[in-house]
Amino acid sequence: MAPETRHRPDPLLPRPVRAGDRPDPSVPARAAAAGLVFALASGFLSGCGSPSVPSAAELDGRAQRAGVTAELVYVTKMKGYHRATGGMGGYGDDGFQDIYVSDKGDVRLTVERRALTAADCPSLPVPAATSPGGSVRCVRDGDGWRRTSGDRQEYAVAKGDLLVRVSGRVDTTTFDLLRDAATDAHAASREELDEMLPPGTSEDGPGGRSGRPPTPPERGDLPETGDGAPDNHVGRGG
């Protein structure tokens, strides 16, 4: 007769509960402690790599120092193109311009508070055209305009009260590229603004982080007394 084989319980499996067993009081405590550790670890990991985004006030101040208005800062995407270092800045009186480059040349994105009609389209210059003061050929295309002047061409489309334009050289760009870039252009998010704008300082935002209004650059030709008019006095020797 074969000897009886006894199976040892697997230590990794929970022991079956038998009648008369008393509950282990340490089980709930261990479970609660494990849950607390998991919650703390989850909170720590979720906070890693997520720096706070600057406030709108700080971004406005940084945009002003860059010579632009934050709400006019737009971004777009074009295959093979990337934003040029130092290409962003003001355009016209209070507009915005950014330059994208590739191995083929540059493409310019401009945003202004204005409209564009059939009457004034020929008189609005295309940025960087060889004949910036010359007449522009305008052709209606969907919701926007195809515009050509000299060696540059452009697609312009209205977005609310803003006019968004994307232009490039005639021999290196197509209207399809320019139209898609202008149509896809959108106002920069706070994260995009934080990446695009110069670093913040204590002067940024209304009143600045320091609570003081931004200090204008000092001018040496403004007298301390009188009506504040510039001193254009010419000394000896002219």
Side-chain angles (χ1 to χ4, degrees):
M1 183 174 182
E4 181 180 357
T5 303
R6 293 185 178 181
H7 297 281
R8 294 182 179 181
D10 190 337
L12 299 179
L13 298 176
R15 184 176 67 83
V17 179
R18 299 186 180 89
D21 283 354
R22 293 183 178 181
D24 185 351
S26 67
V27 171
R30 292 200 303 269
L36 177 60
V37 171
F38 177 78
L40 292 175
S42 299
F44 174 77
L45 292 176
S46 63
C48 293
S50 302
S52 59
V53 180
S55 67
E58 178 183 335
L59 292 172
D60 285 344
R62 289 166 59 184
Q64 290 175 9
R65 288 196 297 109
V68 298
T69 303
E71 64 181 290
L72 297 186
V73 178
Y74 268 55
V75 292
T76 190
K77 288 184 178 181
M78 291 169 284
K79 185 177 181 180
Y81 288 81
H82 62 274
R83 295 184 57 247
T85 302
M88 183 185 73
Y91 180 80
D93 294 334
D94 68 344
F96 166 78
Q97 173 182 264
D98 205 0
I99 299 177
Y100 292 73
V101 294
S102 74
D103 55 0
K104 298 179 181 180
D106 71 282
V107 167
R108 304 195 178 209
L109 166 67
T110 61
V111 182
E112 299 174 273
R113 286 192 180 93
R114 61 161 298 152
L116 187 64
T117 65
D120 59 16
C121 183
S123 61
L124 179 64
V126 173
T130 52
S131 53
S135 179
V136 178
R137 179 173 179 267
C138 299
V139 178
R140 190 71 182 178
D141 184 337
D143 294 332
W145 294 89
R146 294 187 181 197
R147 311 177 68 243
T148 308
S149 177
D151 63 342
R152 307 281 291 191
Q153 59 186 358
E154 174 182 85
Y155 190 83
V157 62
K159 296 194 175 190
D161 63 343
L162 302 179
L163 180 65
V164 177
R165 299 189 284 155
V166 179
S167 59
R169 288 181 59 88
V170 172
D171 57 348
T172 59
T173 61
T174 65
F175 272 120
D176 288 340
L177 171 74
L178 303 178
R179 180 176 56 243
D180 290 345
T183 303
D184 294 341
H186 63 275
S189 65
R190 287 170 61 184
E191 291 80 5
E192 290 169 327
L193 284 171
D194 186 30
E195 180 180 348
M196 297 168 65
L197 295 172
T201 70
S202 61
E203 300 294 340
D204 292 328
R209 294 183 192 173
S210 62
R212 300 186 303 272
T215 303
E218 182 178 356
R219 290 184 55 175
D221 61 344
L222 296 180
E224 297 180 358
T225 59
D227 60 2
D231 182 3
N232 296 320
H233 174 72
V234 180
R236 292 183 177 179

